[in-house]
Short mmCIF file of all heavy atoms in Angstrom, two decimals:
data_model
loop_
_atom_site.label_atom_id
_atom_site.label_comp_id
_atom_site.label_asym_id
_atom_site.label_seq_id
_atom_site.Cartn_x
_atom_site.Cartn_y
_atom_site.Cartn_z
N GLU A 4 19.81 1.83 -18.13
CA GLU A 4 19.98 3.01 -17.31
C GLU A 4 20.59 4.14 -17.98
O GLU A 4 21.43 4.01 -18.79
CB GLU A 4 20.75 2.55 -16.06
CG GLU A 4 20.07 1.51 -15.15
CD GLU A 4 20.92 1.25 -13.85
OE1 GLU A 4 22.06 1.58 -13.83
OE2 GLU A 4 20.33 0.71 -12.90
N ARG A 202 -3.49 2.47 37.64
CA ARG A 202 -4.57 1.64 37.96
C ARG A 202 -5.82 1.71 37.13
O ARG A 202 -6.97 1.67 37.68
CB ARG A 202 -4.96 1.92 39.49
CG ARG A 202 -3.80 1.71 40.43
CD ARG A 202 -4.19 2.08 41.81
NE ARG A 202 -4.43 3.52 41.96
CZ ARG A 202 -3.43 4.44 42.08
NH1 ARG A 202 -2.23 4.06 42.08
NH2 ARG A 202 -3.80 5.77 42.21
N ASP A 226 1.23 0.62 31.42
CA ASP A 226 1.08 2.10 31.53
C ASP A 226 1.18 2.80 30.19
O ASP A 226 1.46 3.99 30.12
CB ASP A 226 2.02 2.71 32.50
CG ASP A 226 3.48 2.21 32.20
OD1 ASP A 226 3.67 1.46 31.23
OD2 ASP A 226 4.44 2.69 32.92
N ARG A 291 -3.13 11.18 8.52
CA ARG A 291 -1.66 11.61 8.65
C ARG A 291 -0.79 10.42 8.54
O ARG A 291 0.52 10.62 8.62
CB ARG A 291 -1.51 12.38 9.90
CG ARG A 291 -2.24 13.73 9.93
CD ARG A 291 -1.66 14.76 8.92
NE ARG A 291 -0.27 15.05 9.28
CZ ARG A 291 0.06 15.90 10.25
NH1 ARG A 291 -0.82 16.57 10.91
NH2 ARG A 291 1.33 16.12 10.54
#
Side-chain angles (χ1 to χ4, degrees):
E4 292 183 345
R202 297 178 296 279
D226 51 359
R291 294 292 298 278

